[in-house]
Amino acid sequence: MLKIGGYINIIIGIGHLIGLIWPEQMFEKTGVLEEMKALAQIHFSLPYLLTIFVALIFLIFGFYGLSASEKIKKLPFLKFGIYTIASIYLFRGIAEQLYNISQQTTTIPETIQSVVAVIIGLLFLIGGLKKWKFKIE
């Protein structure tokens, strides 16, 4: 599970970087076009820098998943990192969807993104629980 979560994050990170070839289309598909246009008003490079930063975060998350699945060298604070990543994804998926429902602004793409976030969060959570032998009795 951790390996799958790791590879998914690496693919998402690389996807962000490749998307910079067609930034406007990527920002539109991911629902952040207006926000990125506002950032570009401050400085033209900000949307690109933010996207690179986000891609690096996804890559780091991916490396933690692969590290926990023993596919790469052990990273520092591995157990803490895995559960933090799981928490971030679960919070993002659940809280955003609850907020959108409460505001009656839910869209299909946002719902899909939330479901994907919850799935990735569960991969990290359940993978971590299995790795570190958490047993419910």
Side-chain angles (χ1 to χ4, degrees), residues 9-10 12-14 16-17 20 48-64:
N9 273 277
I10 290 171
I12 293 170
I14 292 169
H16 275 72
L17 296 174
L20 287 175
Y48 299 97
L49 294 173
L50 180 60
T51 302
I52 291 168
F53 176 76
V54 169
L56 289 173
I57 297 298
F58 281 119
L59 291 171
I60 290 168
F61 285 6
F63 295 149
Y64 266 84

Side-chain angles (χ1 to χ4, degrees), residues 29-31 92-93 96 108-118:
K29 293 289 184 199
T30 57
R92 186 258 182 246
E96 182 180 27
I108 291 173
E110 288 174 342
T111 301
I112 292 169
Q113 290 173 1
S114 292
V115 168
V116 169
V118 168

Side-chain angles (χ1 to χ4, degrees), residues 46-93:
L46 288 178
Y48 299 97
L49 294 173
L50 180 60
T51 302
I52 291 168
F53 176 76
V54 169
L56 289 173
I57 297 298
F58 281 119
L59 291 171
I60 290 168
F61 285 6
F63 295 149
Y64 266 84
L66 295 181
S67 178
S69 64
E70 300 174 0
K71 294 295 175 194
I72 63 171
K73 182 180 171 185
K74 185 177 179 191
L75 293 173
F77 309 107
L78 187 58
K79 190 174 186 180
F80 176 77
I82 292 299
Y83 290 127
T84 300
I85 293 165
S87 300
I88 289 168
Y89 270 113
L90 291 170
F91 179 78
R92 186 258 182 246

Side-chain angles (χ1 to χ4, degrees), residues 26 31 92 124:
M26 179 183 69
R92 186 258 182 246
F124 275 85

Side-chain angles (χ1 to χ4, degrees), residues 9 15 35 39 66 86 107 113 129 135 137:
N9 273 277
E35 293 85 351
L39 275 178
L66 295 181
T107 65
Q113 290 173 1
L129 293 173
K135 294 184 183 186
E137 295 181 20

